[in-house]
Amino acid sequence: MASINKCLKWIFIVFNALFALTGAGIVLLVHVSKIAAMREEVGNFWSASLFGGLMTGISVVGAYGAYKEKRWALILFSVLVSIGMVICLIGAVNIFNVRHMITRRIEDLFESDDMNKFFQLSQEQHNLECCGTRNGYQDWSSQVPESCICPESYWGTPKCQRVAVSPKKSGYSQYWHKEMYTEVYSEPCLPFFVRFLNTMMDATVGILFGLAIVALIGVTMAIIMTCKIKKQMTAMPVPTYEFSKPPAYEELYTMKSMPEHV
């Protein structure tokens, strides 16, 4: 009689237990988090909670089905995980297809005057350690904003480059050497943003494909166990009973075979 391999069964149970704990951890982290940004973004709050709850619920169903050897639970697990796998694959393919379009929109955004003013007036250049949008410090001519200037600890490194700026226009003489120059971030902000965006999209695609592979492994294991349980059910012996001839029939047969006496 076929039976479920114990090693396969417990690997599957542990596999689902880890995912259940991960999902519960996501829900717990979201609800007890003191980060104000997460609390303010209601959509992200409930999306993360729903994702964690679904992960925990599906994993519990899978672990229960393997432990109790319940076909319905393993079938339900396989269907739900298969749906999640398809969603991950569709999301990964869509992100890969729109990658160039998103990059182009970012480039168009950086070419707008509003974006140039935003970077010139804000501290984003200092936070991101970049200067200008496309052409570096030259985008600001000789009026280099303070957010472009490198801290003195960076001077002389590839991160910064030496430029000459008019002191009457900039007003940041405290950053200058006596030769009337300063050092600004050498990398423009547009390549930084494009590189960062591409890295995030590549990471997202990789995570989605990774989840799809893990889901495929889980579904395969569940199907194998479901087939084993089905074989167990079909291989169970059916009790048979041997009935002897009815006594009444035997008596009738004996009576007919006896000779008649006159």
Side-chain angles (χ1 to χ4, degrees):
M1 185 191 321
S3 60
I4 298 178
N5 184 281
K6 290 184 178 180
C7 181
L8 175 65
K9 175 179 178 178
W10 283 105
I11 288 176
F12 185 81
I13 292 174
V14 172
F15 170 84
N16 282 279
L18 292 176
F19 271 86
L21 291 175
T22 302
I26 292 174
V27 175
L28 182 63
L29 180 63
V30 169
H31 282 79
V32 303
S33 176
K34 296 182 180 180
I35 302 176
M38 177 63 75
R39 290 292 188 180
E40 292 175 0
E41 297 179 4
V42 179
N44 292 340
F45 176 83
W46 287 111
S47 298
S49 300
L50 179 62
F51 176 77
L54 287 175
M55 180 183 294
T56 301
I58 294 173
S59 300
V60 169
V61 170
Y64 171 78
Y67 184 74
K68 294 292 187 179
E69 298 186 4
K70 299 292 185 179
R71 287 187 66 218
W72 68 266
L74 291 173
I75 293 173
L76 178 60
F77 171 86
S78 301
V79 172
L80 294 177
V81 174
S82 298
I83 294 173
M85 179 178 63
V86 172
I87 293 174
C88 289
L89 291 175
I90 293 175
V93 172
N94 287 337
I95 292 175
F96 184 81
N97 290 335
V98 302
R99 174 177 177 175
H100 297 291
M101 182 182 66
I102 295 176
T103 301
R104 182 57 188 169
R105 288 186 177 181
I106 292 295
E107 292 176 351
D108 294 339
L109 179 63
F110 269 79
E111 291 176 355
S112 64
D113 294 335
D114 293 338
M115 181 61 72
N116 289 338
K117 292 179 181 179
F118 170 76
F119 272 99
Q120 190 171 14
L121 297 176
S122 69
Q123 290 293 319
E124 291 303 319
Q125 293 176 125
H126 177 73
N127 297 334
L128 300 175
E129 297 185 351
C130 59
C131 183
T133 55
R134 186 183 293 272
N135 301 313
Y137 76 96
Q138 296 177 353
D139 289 332
W140 314 132
S141 300
S142 59
Q143 298 181 351
V144 180
E146 183 179 1
S147 56
C148 275
I149 298 174
C150 291
E152 292 186 3
S153 59
Y154 285 1
W155 286 14
T157 64
K159 187 179 288 290
C160 304
Q161 61 179 340
R162 182 181 300 180
V163 297
V165 186
S166 171
K168 294 182 180 180
K169 292 183 178 181
S170 67
Y172 304 119
S173 57
Q174 66 270 26
Y175 295 97
W176 289 37
H177 289 283
K178 60 182 180 181
E179 291 87 356
M180 305 293 290
Y181 70 85
T182 189
E183 293 201 9
V184 298
Y185 293 111
S186 57
E187 183 178 12
C189 293
L190 176 58
F192 175 86
F193 262 89
V194 171
R195 185 170 62 251
F196 174 78
L197 184 63
N198 288 334
T199 301
M200 293 299 296
M201 287 190 290
D202 290 342
T204 303
V205 171
I207 291 172
L208 291 176
F209 273 120
L211 290 175
I213 293 174
V214 172
L216 178 61
I217 295 173
V219 170
T220 303
M221 296 172 69
I223 291 175
I224 292 174
M225 288 188 291
T226 303
C227 294
K228 291 290 186 180
I229 295 173
K230 184 177 180 181
K231 288 182 179 180
Q232 284 183 355
M233 296 174 64
T234 56
M236 290 179 62
V238 179
T240 58
Y241 302 95
E242 295 184 358
F243 294 98
S244 58
K245 295 179 181 180
Y249 177 81
E250 290 183 355
E251 293 177 1
L252 180 62
Y253 178 80
T254 304
M255 291 175 64
K256 286 184 177 182
S257 58
M258 292 176 62
E260 296 182 359
H261 298 282
V262 179

